[in-house]
Amino acid sequence: MAANAVSLSISSSVASSKSLHSLQAQARFLIPPPTISFPKSSSLSSSTTVSISRSRVRAGPSQLVNEPANAMATPPTIVEVDLGSRSYPIYIGAGLLDQSHLLQRHVHGKKVLVVTNERVAPLYLDKTVHALTIGNPNVTVESVILPDGEKYKDMDTLMKVFDKAIESRLDRRSTFVALGGGVIGDMCGYAAASYLRGVNFIQIPTTVMAQVDSSVGGKTGINHRLGKNLIGAFYQPQCVLVDTDTLNTLPDREMASGLAEVIKYGLIRDADFFEWQEKNIEALLARDPAALAYAIKRSCENKADVVSQDEKESGLRATLNLGHTFGHAIETGFGYGEWLHGEAVAAGTVMAVDMSHRLGWIDDSIVERVNNILKRAKLPTTPPESMTVSMFKSIMAVDKKVADGLLRLILLKGPLGNCVFTGDYDREALDATLRAFSKS
Ligand SMILES: NC(=O)c1ccc[n+]([C@@H]2O[C@H](COP(=O)([O-])OP(=O)(O)OC[C@H]3O[C@@H](n4cnc5c(N)ncnc54)[C@H](O)[C@@H]3O)[C@@H](O)[C@H]2O)c1
Ligand SMILES: [Zn+2]
């Protein structure tokens, strides 16, 4: 069933494209548009051979003939993102950067540009270049090492990728490889979408955030000083390679940040997964390999299922933004990079849940369970003290989910695992939530 069960006419609430200026000028919190309800997805089983309606898990591919034998290699779990001719696999497993055939089969042309940053390059660039070139002498690999951090997810840094690509004479048959977290993935993807009007693109995500969310689904882009991710393109990769071993070097704070997105999937569409997380959150923080592999797989299945039904975010895909409207306001208001994305999303999720509760849409126990799991994950449950009601309102007014000047939000409604994407809510509940969580 999954979201095939979504019975609605989404077209009536598709965001119209307004200029930033007119959005700012016209943003209001008044007239309710239609509500889109998203019943709980019941199709995801908890077994490792889960098969869901539109995203499939299949057995790993056999090795290429010229691949050096790796006796220890375990075939990856594969989650398929089903988008017709633009479908692609997500390979998930430990040690996948040592299984060079997985990457090489998705490289087009003879030139590859690896886009990474100063933090990740010393850790994984050599290994990635090796995986791309071993037994493959025809391929030349260039790399560009960008400064590290959300504050560099901008036009100036993007230009460094184009500079390198042009200097290296990369042609239309080249492949761009994103090696890093969500910042690198989003920037490299956008560069691949626009370089020569589009070249081949591979994602090698190395943070939890990127492995469970940002590398899947084709949203790419950069920030503008007036708002996050306002400039970008939908551009799908050829494959996503998730080597869970890369998480061994990830700082604890980044681990926790990524878990905010894992928790999100449970809340919006997968109550069984949320219950599993309640039992396993400490194991995830402790980087238990089996727990991590399961959480990544299940998260990718949820994301792939949503994306395959609503690639360009007409409705269903917007539900992946639970907590993000409040969270983006925190990231923008507080300054990019001060709070991690997942930390801002965690506080934003608590605010969205508080508002859902004020509206009478969910019961007390959900509020309590959300607060508990986020605290156990060592994530914030309130915004920074410097955030004011007017900061929230002015930043939320330029959110991409504003349509015709009306702010639509993802709110929980009904039993755990159900949400709505709607502008049809009592404005007083939003104001009350903003007042409860920030200074006036
Ligand atoms: N495209 C999407 O659908 C989507 C979804 C969610 C988030 N995002 C974007 O993703 C970004 C956040 O991603 P993120 O949380 O991965 O942040 P990030 O890319 O900044 O990575 C976090 C930090 O970890 C470092 N790092 C990465 N891999 C490492 C490793 N294996 N070992 C040690 N350090 C490592 C990075 O260099 C960085 O310092 C935001 O810009 C957000 O907007 C995009
Ligand atoms: Zn997010």
Side-chain angles (χ1 to χ4, degrees), residues 117-120 123-124 148-150 153 180-186 203 205-210 213-221 223 228-229 245-251 254 257-258 261 264 303 317 324 328 331 340-342:
N117 71 23
E118 285 162 349
R119 172 100 78 101
V120 177
L123 298 168
Y124 303 111
D148 181 19
E150 181 79 30
K153 190 177 165 183
V183 169
I184 287 294
D186 281 12
Q203 287 266 21
T206 60
T207 61
V208 175
M209 173 69 62
D213 194 346
S214 64
S215 66
V216 176
K219 275 195 187 179
T220 70
N223 299 327
K228 253 184 78 73
N229 299 329
D245 284 351
T246 58
L247 299 181
N248 293 335
T249 52
L250 197 65
E254 299 290 350
S257 171
E261 306 281 7
K264 166 189 83 179
K303 179 128 189 204
R317 185 167 181 169
H324 282 58
H328 282 170
E331 287 179 277
L340 302 179
H341 176 69

Side-chain angles (χ1 to χ4, degrees), residues 199-211:
V199 293
N200 193 40
F201 167 47
I202 289 174
Q203 287 266 21
I204 306 180
T206 60
T207 61
V208 175
M209 173 69 62
Q211 295 183 352

